[in-house]
Each structure stands twice: as C-alpha cells, then as structure tokens.
Amino acid sequence: MTARRITLITGASGGIGADLARVFASRGHDLALVARNAQKLEALADEIQGSGKPRPIVIALDLAVPGACAGLAEALAANDAGVEILVNNAGFGLAGLAQGYDPAEQIEITDLNIRALTELTLRFLPGIIAARGRILNVASIAAFLPGPGMAVYYASKAYVVSFSAALGAELAASGVSVTALCPGITRTGFQERARIDAAGLASLPGMSAMAVAEAGYAGLMAGRRRVVPGLANKLLVKLLPFVPNALLLPLVLRFQARRRAA
Ligand SMILES: NC(=O)c1ccc[n+]([C@@H]2O[C@H](COP(=O)([O-])OP(=O)(O)OC[C@H]3O[C@@H](n4cnc5c(N)ncnc54)[C@H](OP(=O)(O)O)[C@@H]3O)[C@@H](O)[C@H]2O)c1
C-alpha cells in the first residue's frame, strides 16, 4: 500500500490539463502533475498549495520519449504515491498536409497521443483496479471523422475513443470507469503548437479550458463513457454519422487548409 493515493494528470502545465488540476484540487483530490515545463508545473503547484490544498507532486518529463512512462512510475514510487485516478490529457496536433511535415514530427503525435496514453493506462491499471479508481482520457470531437489537413491528429483521437470504450467495457465489473472527454475548439496553447492561424481562429466559437475541465470532471465522476462539452459540439457529433465521407472529406480539408498558419 502506498501512503498517497493520487490523481495523475498529464499535460498539466497549461490549457485543459492545468484547469483539470485546479478542478480536481478544489474537489479535494491529491495530485501529481506531469508535463515538460517544470517552471509552469511548480507555479501551478504553488497556486494549489496556496489555496490550502496539499502540494501536488511535480514530475517534469517528456512523455513522447521512450522510457518516460517507466521514469514517471519510478518518480511516483519514490514519492510513495499510487495512482487512483489517471487523467491522460497531454496531446498535440499539427495543422497541414501530412506530406508537408517531417515524418518524425508526426510520429511524435502518435508517441504522445497514443503510445504514452496506452502505456500509462496499462502500467497503472492494476493499482487503479485495486483502488476502484477511474480513468479520464482526453480525446477530441476530431475522433469522430477523418481529418484531412490534420490526418495523424484526428486518427490518434479516434484511437483514444475506441481504446477508452473497449477498456471501459472490460473493466465494467471491476468498478473502474473509463471516460473519453471529447472537446471541440478550446482556447489553449494547442493552436499555437499546431501552427493554426490565430486570425482564422478568432472567427470561430471556442470554449474555455475551465468549462471543458468542469464538464470532464463531472462526467468522470458520474462514470460516463463519453463526454462532449458544449451544445454545438454535441450536435455535431450526433450529425456526423449521417454525412457521407464524399461530402465530409473535402469540407474538412478546406476548413483545415484555411486554419494553417502561413
Ligand atoms: N484546444 C483544443 O482545441 C482541443 C480540442 C480537442 C481536444 N484537445 C486535447 O486536449 C488536450 C490538452 O490540450 P490543450 O488544448 O490544453 O493544449 P495545450 O495548452 O497545448 O496543453 C498541452 C499540454 O500537454 C503537455 N505536453 C505536450 N507535449 C508533451 C510531452 N511530449 N510530454 C509531456 N507533456 C506534454 C503540455 O506541456 P509542456 O509543453 O510543458 O510539455 C501542456 O501541458 C490534448 O490532448 C488535446 O489534443 C484540445
């Protein structure tokens, strides 16, 4: 038995992950925060401690690098901490044609969005089952359609939704719930890293990271299989299965081409 039962949140240095950390902390969860930027993680840990909550464990590492998940597990063990709730939030995408990017940059998307998410889930699963804990995987509405102009990213999020639903079904009898959080456009650092044109984005509706985090937390605690925050996103996800790919693919390609920064 470990002394600390923690909620592990990846990608907690900004955006949706940082707001998930604030929401979990405000509801009394003890946290471990992971991302590459140590300074931002320490600042968030200071903020949470300053609000009278236990100081989160800070683990700065690059999850896209082989061996990172093992390093993360070692760091938690050194803190005598076991994972009760796992939040796989770290992720990124790249806007533009697949042929326009160095393959290594695009493989980094699958390394982080798919491999690290899967490895962390499988590695911590025995402890999560023993604790009758929960898993929150951050996917996207991009999971529900092919994404020409952002092909690897959309496909990676389809994996997250599929893996989460299947694992949730396997774990139903164990009392562990698996929730896929599927946000639409959310104002975070995501767009800059994806090289999406900020001017093009300004005309589009977007949710706040905090609204997405609150919806994700509520859905996780209710044991929901899938959470799509926001009415417009919910409608989109309901309608997509009725739109033929022959119509959808050129539309998505045009939409994504317009968003790509020059
Ligand atoms: N924003 C949107 O419109 C949107 C929509 C749908 C889904 N999502 C999903 O929401 C999740 C959170 O994204 P966000 O919008 O909050 O974007 P963000 O502001 O860019 O945050 C991404 C987080 O992931 C961390 N991260 C990135 N690469 C990492 C790596 N190699 N190792 C460890 N941590 C890494 C970043 O921290 P460091 O840079 O410090 O490592 C940061 O904390 C992602 O899975 C994204 O795909 C976002």
Side-chain angles (χ1 to χ4, degrees):
M1 278 291 277
T2 48
R4 282 178 84 168
R5 283 176 148 210
I6 50 106
T7 296
L8 175 67
I9 303 179
T10 70
S13 65
I16 296 168
D19 279 338
L20 279 166
R22 292 182 178 100
V23 170
F24 274 91
S26 73
R27 307 300 205 279
H29 299 267
D30 195 5
L31 306 180
L33 309 176
V34 181
R36 293 168 303 174
N37 190 317
Q39 262 186 326
K40 286 188 182 171
L41 291 178
E42 292 291 353
L44 181 57
D46 287 346
E47 178 192 320
I48 288 170
Q49 186 177 25
S51 68
K53 307 293 180 191
R55 183 179 181 80
I57 299 165
V58 165
I59 303 166
L61 47 76
D62 185 343
L63 285 170
V65 169
C69 297
L72 174 48
E74 279 168 25
L76 287 177
N79 280 280
D80 202 12
V83 179
E84 178 179 25
I85 298 179
L86 172 62
V87 181
N88 281 304
N89 163 76
F92 82 106
L94 291 168
L97 301 182
Q99 71 204 39
Y101 280 103
D102 179 343
E105 272 190 287
Q106 300 193 79
I107 295 301
E108 199 182 331
I109 298 174
T110 60
D111 278 343
L112 182 63
N113 299 10
I114 297 179
R115 189 188 49 72
L117 175 143
T118 309
E119 191 179 342
L120 291 179
T121 304
L122 300 179
R123 192 175 271 277
F124 294 121
L125 198 50
I128 294 170
I129 292 171
R132 295 177 73 83
R134 299 179 188 275
I135 299 172
L136 180 65
N137 289 330
V138 181
S140 166
I141 57 169
F144 303 107
L145 71 168
M150 221 171 171
V152 178
Y153 177 73
Y154 276 54
S156 75
K157 293 303 186 179
Y159 173 91
V160 176
V161 165
S162 172
F163 175 62
S164 304
L167 192 67
E170 289 183 10
L171 293 172
S174 73
V176 173
S177 62
V178 184
T179 301
L181 173 61
C182 304
I185 295 171
T186 310
R187 311 273 169 200
T188 65
F190 177 88
Q191 286 78 20
E192 192 185 339
R193 183 156 188 212
R195 297 173 210 163
I196 289 169
D197 181 16
L201 189 75
S203 59
L204 292 167
M207 288 182 70
S208 72
M210 183 51 88
V212 170
E214 288 280 11
Y217 182 83
L220 175 76
M221 289 305 163
R224 290 180 53 202
R225 184 166 51 87
R226 184 190 292 174
V227 176
V228 180
L231 187 60
N233 295 326
K234 281 187 182 64
L235 280 174
L236 187 67
V237 168
K238 291 260 181 253
L239 287 175
L240 277 172
F242 302 103
V243 186
N245 269 351
L247 191 66
L248 199 57
L249 293 174
L251 277 176
V252 177
L253 182 58
R254 201 169 337 143
F255 170 72
Q256 291 298 356
R258 278 214 319 261
R259 296 196 329 149
R260 173 85 163 91

